[in-house]
Amino acid sequence: MYGFVVLAAISFILIFYFLNRIKTSNTNENVPVKEIVRLSLPMGVSNVIMYLLLSIDIFILKKYFGNQAVAHYSVALKIITILSMIILSATINISPKISELYNSKKFLELEALCRKTAKIIFSVNVVISVLLGLFIKQVLLFFGPEYLAIQNVFFVLLFSQLFCSVFGVVPVYLNMTERSRIFQKILLITLSINTALNCILIPLYGAMGAAIVFTSSVVFWNICVVIYVYKKDRIKLYFN
């Protein structure tokens, strides 16, 4: 974890340095480097927080239950990243469109886009989830018979990604509408809750405790973003 933080800090310093060295022409379309940093820094911090949300449970689990428990839990996490990649792929593709529609104040089109994307993501992930659920024993046996013990952990984690799928573009909406600082604050609150709950539940329930905390954290920050966006923009990010 420390290596990741150090590399992130070095990367930020280098990017800031080289951006300042870029010579730009005098046109109205130029964006000041400070403005780029102002908008992108909270996104970078949010990415670090996301990394911590995926790492703190691992460190605490290792402390109390050792490397074997971490290995089992990590496999369950890796499997559900299939669903995460679907969400990521879809949101990356429509991110520029979200920004364009928001800045053009075409809120009806924006809501339609967000809800349509959420419906597509959810539909695809439901199919994948059903297949994973049906063949999870075979998948876990590929890693070894001892991994069958994490079936219930897997299903808890699977629920977290299905829940994310309902809301589709939540991970990128605030970033693409120039409110990355709001998203950063929501994630910071989530990180605090996540750390506290991990310290309580992992010693008691092991990998299942970690999965419950992870899922609770995902549910919390997704709901926070959805409520905030609806109050501010009157846009529903979920489909129904």
Side-chain angles (χ1 to χ4, degrees), residues 8 163 190:
F163 187 87
T190 305

Side-chain angles (χ1 to χ4, degrees), residues 5-232:
V5 174
V6 171
L7 287 174
I10 293 173
S11 299
F12 171 76
I13 293 170
L14 289 174
I15 291 171
F16 185 77
Y17 171 76
F18 286 114
L19 281 174
N20 274 299
R21 289 176 61 87
I22 296 175
K23 295 181 179 180
T24 56
S25 57
N26 294 322
T27 65
N28 293 329
E29 296 181 356
N30 288 332
V31 180
V33 172
K34 288 184 179 180
E35 181 67 11
I36 295 174
V37 173
R38 183 185 70 82
L39 293 174
S40 62
L41 181 58
M43 297 183 195
V45 173
S46 295
N47 287 332
V48 172
I49 296 172
M50 284 290 196
Y51 172 80
L52 292 174
L53 286 171
L54 290 169
S55 304
I56 290 174
D57 49 2
I58 298 291
F59 286 104
I60 298 176
L61 192 62
K62 181 178 180 180
K63 177 182 177 181
Y64 286 97
F65 294 93
N67 291 328
Q68 186 175 13
V70 170
H72 291 176
Y73 181 67
S74 296
V75 164
L77 279 176
K78 293 294 188 299
I79 295 172
I80 66 162
T81 54
I82 298 173
L83 280 71
S84 302
M85 292 304 297
I86 299 298
I87 298 172
L88 182 63
S89 300
T91 53
I92 285 177
N93 285 326
I94 69 163
S95 292
K97 192 65 176 179
I98 290 174
S99 179
E100 176 188 336
L101 292 174
Y102 180 81
N103 289 316
S104 301
K105 300 189 183 302
K106 297 179 180 179
F107 295 115
L108 290 177
E109 291 182 39
L110 178 57
E111 182 176 38
L113 174 66
C114 292
R115 297 180 72 174
K116 181 180 179 181
T117 303
K119 186 174 183 178
I120 293 171
I121 292 172
F122 182 74
S123 300
V124 173
N125 277 351
V126 163
V127 174
I128 295 174
S129 297
V130 170
L131 292 174
L132 286 174
L134 290 174
F135 298 103
I136 188 58
K137 287 186 178 180
Q138 289 80 356
V139 174
L140 293 175
L141 282 172
F142 176 79
F143 297 95
E146 64 275 14
Y147 284 85
L148 290 174
I150 61 167
Q151 282 188 79
N152 291 335
V153 171
F154 164 78
F155 283 115
V156 173
L157 293 173
L158 186 66
F159 173 78
S160 72
Q161 296 309 299
L162 277 176
F163 187 87
C164 284
S165 301
V166 173
F167 299 109
V169 302
V170 163
V172 298
Y173 184 89
L174 291 180
N175 286 338
M176 291 297 102
T177 55
E178 299 183 7
R179 287 170 290 185
S180 52
R181 289 188 181 277
I182 300 297
F183 188 47
Q184 175 189 313
K185 291 176 182 178
I186 291 172
L187 289 182
L188 280 172
I189 295 171
T190 305
L191 180 62
S192 300
I193 297 171
N194 176 277
T195 303
L197 289 178
N198 272 321
C199 290
I200 295 170
L201 294 184
I202 289 179
L204 295 174
Y205 303 108
M208 179 57 75
I212 291 171
V213 174
F214 177 85
T215 301
S216 300
S217 300
V218 168
V219 170
F220 176 77
W221 70 257
N222 271 272
I223 289 178
C224 285
V225 173
V226 168
I227 292 173
Y228 177 86
V229 171
Y230 184 73
K231 284 186 175 181
K232 294 295 182 180

